[in-house]
Amino acid sequence: MKFNRILLSATLIVVALVVQVSVLARLQLPGAVPDLVLLTVVALALVHGPVTGSLVGFSAGLLADLAPPADHAAGRYALVLCVVGYLVGLVRPENGRFTSAVGPMAAVVGAAVGSTLLYAGVGALVGDTAARHVGLTSLLFTAVVYDLLLAPFTVPLVMALARRAENDPVADATGTGGADVSSGWLSSGTGLRIGTQRGGLRVKSARSRATRVGRIKGVKRL
């Protein structure tokens, strides 16, 4: 893994874990807890592929296992996120571009369902029956709903940051040839904008000024 990728991934995971433990876990929402760490792993896996996705997932899960107030065996969530990161990374297109938000959102739903089922399954093997008392159906439903609501504000932003950190050509793609969905999702879904859009506006304004100058010169010659 490149140094920029390691540094950015570590920073994003730590920030996501702090926000999840200090804010989201204290909302006392019914059912599951919105999993910002999972969404960060999903976004990084969609950009970098299965190998990096599994490594980032394992590291993020291990940090979540050790962070208070963790009440389960260390390594349990690390295993879950390692598998999820690898499987989500397999969804990444060969050209690195998503032409619509359907792919990332489907990955979020699959990750939410898969992580909940896998976490409950591993817990059953080690004698943890907490999922039975809460209700597995309720956990699955709330996990999907919460993660889907949180995804438009986290997944495209993390994807854009990850690509820019490595100077990925996909991050600089314009409308020609099918730009990646993260830029459009950022501008339309969350109100955020990235550098390529500002660059496009500058090019358009420069062309319009050149056109006006040409017209003025033409009038003078007449």
Side-chain angles (χ1 to χ4, degrees), residues 2-218:
K2 296 181 180 179
F3 177 76
N4 289 346
R5 184 184 302 183
I6 296 174
L7 181 61
L8 179 64
S9 300
T11 303
L12 292 174
I13 290 298
V14 170
V15 171
L17 182 60
V18 170
V19 173
Q20 181 168 323
V21 172
S22 60
V23 178
L24 298 179
R26 300 189 179 188
L27 295 179
Q28 301 297 326
L29 297 173
V33 176
D35 201 336
L36 187 60
V37 175
L38 174 67
L39 294 177
T40 305
V41 171
V42 168
L44 292 174
L46 289 175
V47 173
H48 299 308
V51 176
T52 300
S54 61
L55 294 175
V56 171
F58 179 82
S59 303
L62 189 59
L63 286 177
D65 287 332
L66 300 176
D71 56 353
H72 55 269
R76 180 176 169 185
Y77 201 47
L79 173 62
V80 172
L81 288 187
C82 180
V83 175
V84 170
Y86 181 81
L87 294 178
V88 170
L90 296 176
V91 181
R92 179 182 182 274
E94 294 182 0
N95 60 359
R97 291 187 176 96
F98 288 93
T99 56
S100 70
V102 176
M105 293 298 281
V108 169
V109 173
V113 173
S115 62
T116 303
L117 291 176
L118 187 57
Y119 187 82
V122 175
L125 293 177
V126 298
D128 185 359
T129 60
R132 297 180 182 178
H133 299 295
V134 177
L136 186 58
T137 303
S138 175
L139 285 176
L140 286 172
F141 177 76
T142 53
V144 170
V145 171
Y146 296 155
D147 290 346
L148 279 177
L149 292 177
L150 194 59
F153 303 97
T154 55
V155 174
L157 180 60
V158 173
M159 290 175 66
L161 290 174
R163 285 185 172 132
R164 289 194 169 275
E166 293 195 347
N167 298 320
D168 194 331
V170 176
D172 299 326
T174 58
T176 59
D180 182 69
V181 70
S182 60
S183 59
W185 198 356
L186 279 168
S187 61
S188 60
T190 63
L192 300 175
R193 295 182 181 274
I194 59 178
T196 55
Q197 294 171 325
R198 292 195 296 268
L201 292 176
R202 294 194 189 102
V203 172
K204 290 181 180 179
S205 61
R207 289 178 178 175
S208 62
R209 287 196 298 269
T211 302
R212 288 198 298 270
V213 170
R215 291 176 179 174
I216 293 174
K217 291 181 177 179

